[in-house]
Amino acid sequence: MRVSRLSLVTLRNVPADAEIPSHQLLVRGGYIRRVGPGIYAYLPLMWRVLNKISTIVRDELDSLGALETLLPQLQPAEPWERSGRWQGYTAGEGIMFHLEDRQGRRVGLGPTHEEVVTELAGELLRSYKQLPVTLYQIQTKFRDEIRPRFGLMRSREFIMKDAYSFHSDEADLDRAYAEMAGAYTRIFQRCGLDAVGVDADSGAIGGAASQEFMVVANAGEDLILSTADGSYAANQEKAVSIPAKAEPLPEGEEQMLETPGQATIEDLCSANGLTPGQTVKVLVLLARLEDGREQPVLVSLRGDHELNEVKLTNAVTRKLGSSALEIAPITADQIREQGLTALPFGSIGPDLDDGSLKGARSWETRFLRLADPAVLDLVRFVCGANSSDQHRWGATWASMPDQIRTDIRNARAGERSLHNPEQTLQERRGIEVGHIFQLGSKYSDALDARFTDKQGQQAALLMGCYGIGISRLAQAAVEQHHDEAGICWPVSIAPFQVIVVVANVQDSTQVALGESLYGALRIAGVDALLDDRSERAGVKFKDADLIGIPWRIVVGREAEAGRVEVVERSRRSSNTVSHQEALSSVLEAVSSGS
Ligand code: ATP
Ligand code: MG
């Protein structure tokens, strides 16, 4: 391809709405253009990158025996209602774009495809003899994200590879899941990414295995906790640890503390010579459940610990048997709207009386009381006394109503690993590029997808599902591979592997040598660009750096003598050699994938 024909528009300035380097560079390099919030056009250079990634993904999945397919993006509401997800995905802050067609039928734009594929599998896969089967597709997904940001990292329309596997027994699901994890590791390696597999949250259904693949990068939205020896790595949403020991309270009788204006743990501690680990932090929250219930929740944590919202959502869902759609702090206004007396915020203890909910307009009238194991391990502690500006010093759990013991705190860097207490957790940020998941019979039960097993009995299909964010992966590669001058694509996913730059297109010797190198590269099957524009050489070099083609051959003043410059983009190293040598060294580097 000739750069003059590429409609390449590069920008020198950083676009105002692009916060992270990869987003800035993709816009500046003419790879993507914003069309609307969270909606991007993939320009020709980007489309080539996306296709290269897709080719690697197809290659690895095909070699597992998976079958490529293409499922509709427009999905009727019915299967989503049967699986119980329509409400959660469309109501309130639900992320599914949904609409009514001219006949008034409700449809959604696919954010994911479990429902559609499970119904199909139920119709097509009738006997154990047809199993196992893995279907996959590479397709645009739609999600009305609350906060679309960082370009392709979190967009509202993005390209995903999603795969679904069907099995007759657990062992076979385990096998396929492990094989998929292996394929994912190879895919990310082949794309030139430094990615790690981490334990991931598998939602409230629990039990089932789930792993995310994270590209390690400071711009990542996820926090990874891992041990230095690599034996444990988990998303903070899921990570567990041994908390640091809390300093015990000095001996002494339980007593009342007057704590005027000490509404935060910090103020309470500094005014009374306490450490946060000696206090109990109580959060008053409201959970909105899928079945319509509005459940007040009282959460107790050690004062030095933070709430983990994912663990909390799972715990509430498990306990109440209906999905918690939203859990948020209760406000003074809400208390008034329910017709209740004000709560002593800032001085609430784990024993806040259910009486304070009596007569609530729409809320349940008893608290769900959850307490983290670390807080329950405190023998004596300081907590709110449920009356304004008063705390109890030296309180014990014996004086408290029953609490449900459940892990709801964030594990943190510096804490010891639960799996190997010799190891300490470290933290890094990561971008989730892939997620694999054992679904079991969650969807096949709901959608009645059954097969006849070896014994002639009807049984629910067992399922796994496996996603890769193709467009997010492309941007994550830039986040990992760039410098101040631009992108440094790994050769395997670069839009072009080599760019031949003719420094001065008025010079016929340079043009002739440039054309001949370009032709030779193309004959050798290399994706090559020829910068034949009549721009100044400096502009062309800047553009080549910015768009990040791994190898550059510059045909300049020494063309007369048959000599050219070979530049390796990532190392910014340069060598002046004969044009034959340039060609053979670049061909060798490209074919070895470096
Ligand atoms: P996240 O936690 O980042 O919102 P998710 O867990 O909801 O993602 P999955 O349902 O597991 O995402 O989707 C599979 C893959 O699709 C993710 O691993 C990610 O790489 C990609 N992906 C998900 N949401 C987006 C998005 N809004 N924009 C781009 N890629 C996305
Ligand atoms: Mg995920």
Side-chain angles (χ1 to χ4, degrees):
M1 174 63 69
R2 290 164 191 274
V3 178
S4 60
R5 311 303 314 147
L6 200 60
S7 326
L8 180 68
V9 178
T10 56
L11 310 173
R12 291 286 162 250
N13 296 326
V14 175
D17 66 331
E19 296 165 57
I20 60 172
S22 55
H23 184 192
Q24 295 166 357
L25 291 172
L26 287 178
V27 175
R28 287 185 49 212
Y31 282 85
I32 58 173
R33 276 283 169 135
R34 183 180 179 276
V35 172
I39 306 174
Y40 288 84
Y42 310 119
L43 299 179
L45 282 177
M46 192 69 208
W47 187 239
R48 292 184 68 97
V49 173
L50 295 169
N51 279 322
K52 292 209 168 173
I53 297 169
S54 299
T55 301
I56 293 173
V57 169
R58 284 196 175 95
D59 186 49
E60 290 293 341
L61 293 189
D62 292 349
S63 70
L64 296 183
L67 304 165
E68 185 166 0
T69 184
L70 190 60
L71 303 171
Q73 283 157 311
L74 216 43
Q75 305 185 5
E78 289 74 27
W80 285 81
E81 285 184 322
R82 288 170 68 201
S83 73
R85 292 210 293 183
W86 180 259
Q87 186 66 13
Y89 268 72
T90 58
E93 287 177 347
I95 56 166
M96 178 148 64
F97 289 100
H98 54 106
L99 57 131
E100 269 184 21
D101 69 11
R102 61 175 80 240
Q103 261 95 32
R105 288 178 297 230
R106 289 162 311 148
V107 284
L109 283 177
T112 179
H113 278 71
E114 284 81 7
E115 280 76 1
V116 170
V117 81
T118 308
E119 277 210 327
L120 283 170
E123 290 165 21
L124 300 173
L125 307 173
R126 312 310 298 256
S127 156
Y128 73 94
K129 290 181 195 147
Q130 293 170 280
L131 299 172
V133 171
T134 300
L135 295 172
Y136 77 94
Q137 58 173 348
I138 296 177
Q139 180 202 53
T140 297
K141 294 279 189 273
F142 300 89
R143 294 187 182 180
D144 196 0
E145 297 278 358
I146 300 170
R147 271 179 294 280
R149 57 183 197 151
F150 298 159
L152 307 186
M153 290 289 188
R154 185 168 298 284
S155 46
R156 299 197 301 158
E157 185 182 317
F158 59 98
I159 302 176
M160 195 202 285
K161 182 286 296 175
D162 47 329
Y164 306 88
S165 67
F166 299 91
H167 310 272
S168 52
D169 59 62
E170 293 279 351
D172 195 50
L173 171 57
D174 285 346
R175 174 202 53 79
Y177 178 83
E179 278 182 17
M180 195 60 87
Y184 271 41
T185 303
R186 289 190 296 277
I187 287 168
F188 300 128
Q189 245 160 26
R190 286 178 63 182
C191 291
L193 292 174
D194 174 13
V196 284
V198 305
D199 285 358
D201 171 53
S202 50
I205 49 170
S210 166
Q211 239 197 331
E212 287 166 344
F213 290 82
M214 297 279 183
V215 166
V216 181
N218 288 335
E221 291 185 324
D222 287 284
L223 197 68
I224 308 167
L225 290 166
S226 54
T227 55
D229 69 354
S231 61
Y232 179 73
N235 189 321
Q236 192 183 41
E237 292 177 355
K238 163 97 179 181
V240 290
S241 65
I242 303 173
K245 282 230 161 6
E247 202 182 311
L249 274 187
E251 289 302 317
E253 290 283 294
E254 177 173 342
Q255 49 181 284
M256 212 53 118
L257 282 183
E258 295 302 321
T259 53
Q262 298 161 25
T264 65
I265 298 277
E266 210 175 57
D267 293 345
L268 178 69
C269 287
S270 62
N272 300 284
L274 300 165
T275 56
Q278 297 172 322
T279 70
V280 174
K281 171 159 69 183
V282 178
L283 308 172
V284 196
L285 309 167
L286 184 73
R288 289 181 203 284
L289 304 178
E290 193 167 40
D291 64 10
R293 269 182 290 170
E294 296 174 316
Q295 173 67 57
V297 185
L298 219 50
V299 164
S300 296
L301 287 164
R302 222 167 76 182
D304 58 334
H305 288 159
E306 291 156 21
L307 178 67
N308 180 313
E309 289 175 16
V310 173
K311 290 180 182 177
L312 174 69
T313 303
N314 291 343
V316 170
T317 299
R318 264 196 320 270
K319 238 25 253 170
L320 300 178
S322 171
S323 289
L325 302 179
E326 191 203 337
I327 305 184
I330 287 180
T331 63
D333 283 349
Q334 286 175 317
I335 301 267
R336 260 195 305 279
E337 282 158 25
Q338 290 292 315
L340 302 174
T341 343
L343 291 181
F345 286 116
S347 299
I348 291 176
D351 54 344
L352 179 64
D353 192 44
D354 286 335
S356 52
L357 296 174
K358 202 167 159 226
R361 295 225 163 88
S362 58
W363 294 352
E364 300 298 306
T365 52
R366 294 183 65 175
F367 286 111
L368 177 70
R369 294 171 199 269
L370 304 176
D372 186 73
V375 80
L376 290 176
D377 286 348
L378 293 179
V379 180
R380 293 161 59 255
F381 47 84
V382 177
C383 67
N386 300 316
S387 79
S388 287
D389 300 335
Q390 285 195 319
H391 279 76
R392 288 164 68 184
W393 186 100
T396 63
W397 288 107
S399 64
M400 301 290 171
D402 281 351
Q403 307 283 320
I404 296 165
R405 182 186 184 98
T406 179
D407 174 22
I408 40 173
R409 77 175 172 89
N410 276 337
R412 288 186 296 216
E415 291 170 345
R416 283 180 303 139
S417 164
L418 195 62
H419 299 75
N420 176 1
E422 313 267 281
Q423 295 278 324
T424 305
L425 296 182
Q426 308 173 336
E427 63 179 39
R428 285 176 290 174
R429 300 212 72 86
I431 301 165
E432 178 194 327
V433 287
H435 195 168
I436 61 174
F437 201 110
Q438 292 195 7
L439 294 168
S441 62
K442 179 175 153 85
Y443 292 92
S444 42
D445 278 335
L447 295 162
D448 215 23
R450 303 182 173 281
F451 70 105
T452 310
D453 68 13
K454 267 195 183 131
Q455 286 73 42
Q457 306 289 316
Q458 289 288 297
L461 288 163
L462 294 181
M463 289 177 63
C465 74
Y466 318 90
I468 291 182
I470 303 281
S471 45
R472 183 185 283 183
L473 186 162
Q475 188 172 325
V478 177
E479 201 56 44
Q480 256 184 2
H481 300 283
H482 70 269
D483 59 20
E484 64 294 339
I487 301 170
C488 308
W489 289 110
V491 174
S492 58
I493 62 171
F496 292 92
Q497 298 160 320
V498 184
I499 181 167
V500 177
V501 181
V502 177
N504 177 4
V505 291
Q506 313 313 335
D507 180 328
S508 58
T509 314
Q510 288 186 22
V511 171
L513 185 53
E515 290 281 354
S516 110
L517 281 166
Y518 173 60
L521 286 164
R522 290 182 12 124
I523 288 168
V526 171
D527 291 329
L529 265 180
L530 176 68
D531 197 344
D532 57 345
R533 293 176 299 170
S534 55
E535 299 282 353
R536 281 184 295 112
V539 169
K540 294 196 263 195
F541 297 157
K542 274 217 164 70
D543 276 348
D545 278 343
L546 177 60
I547 65 175
I549 307 304
W551 293 93
R552 173 155 101 218
I553 302 178
V554 182
V555 185
R557 288 205 190 90
E558 291 192 54
E560 204 76 56
R563 289 167 67 79
V564 297
E565 192 192 0
V566 177
V567 181
E568 185 179 355
R569 173 65 187 86
S570 59
R571 293 196 201 135
R572 310 198 82 176
S573 61
S574 115
N575 251 330
T576 301
V577 294
S578 74
H579 67 89
Q580 296 93 338
E581 238 177 283
L583 189 62
S584 59
S585 67
V586 166
L587 284 179
E588 197 189 306
V590 165
S591 69
S592 73
S594 60

